[in-house]
Amino acid sequence: MQTSSPPRSLSPLALRVRAVMWEWDPIGVRSIGDGWPEDEYDDLLVPLIDAIAEDPPVDQLADELREVLETDYGLPTPEGSVEVARTLLALRHEDAPRRG
């Protein structure tokens, strides 16, 4: 997974992925203070949506999250990547068409 430019308008799924990343806040921008833009992690939206569409195992997605944060953001391994991966994969299942 590599970061990319965010789409111009965000789908409902992209907004939910954004909210998950903002809540996790692996680089800690929320602790800096008010006024930080909510789009801080938008360069991860397209790669994350593509990744969760493949429905990988939780550990694989967690590893990809850790790798992109370490490589692209230059951060040490953040805590919570497994829980975030699980949450992101659950979003995919919420977004799946219902049969009935």
Side-chain angles (χ1 to χ4, degrees):
M1 174 185 343
Q2 293 182 331
T3 57
S4 70
S5 297
R8 292 188 188 264
S9 63
L10 300 181
S11 69
L13 177 58
L15 290 171
R16 292 195 303 274
V17 170
R18 175 195 262 182
V20 169
M21 293 303 296
W22 183 248
E23 181 64 30
W24 183 32
D25 192 26
I27 65 173
V29 295
R30 288 190 344 220
S31 66
I32 294 171
D34 292 335
W36 205 269
E38 291 182 0
D39 66 353
E40 182 62 31
Y41 300 105
D42 281 6
D43 58 337
L44 292 172
L45 293 179
V46 171
L48 282 172
I49 290 168
D50 289 347
I52 65 177
E54 295 176 17
D55 203 19
V58 170
D59 290 338
Q60 179 182 332
L61 183 57
D63 287 345
E64 290 179 21
L65 277 169
R66 284 190 293 267
E67 181 180 334
V68 76
L69 290 168
E70 290 172 0
T71 303
D72 293 0
Y73 285 76
L75 298 172
T77 302
E79 292 183 26
S81 59
V82 172
E83 292 81 8
V84 169
R86 190 173 289 118
T87 301
L88 290 169
L89 289 168
L91 294 178
R92 179 200 182 273
H93 297 291
E94 287 175 12
D95 211 47
R98 307 247 191 274
R99 295 180 189 224

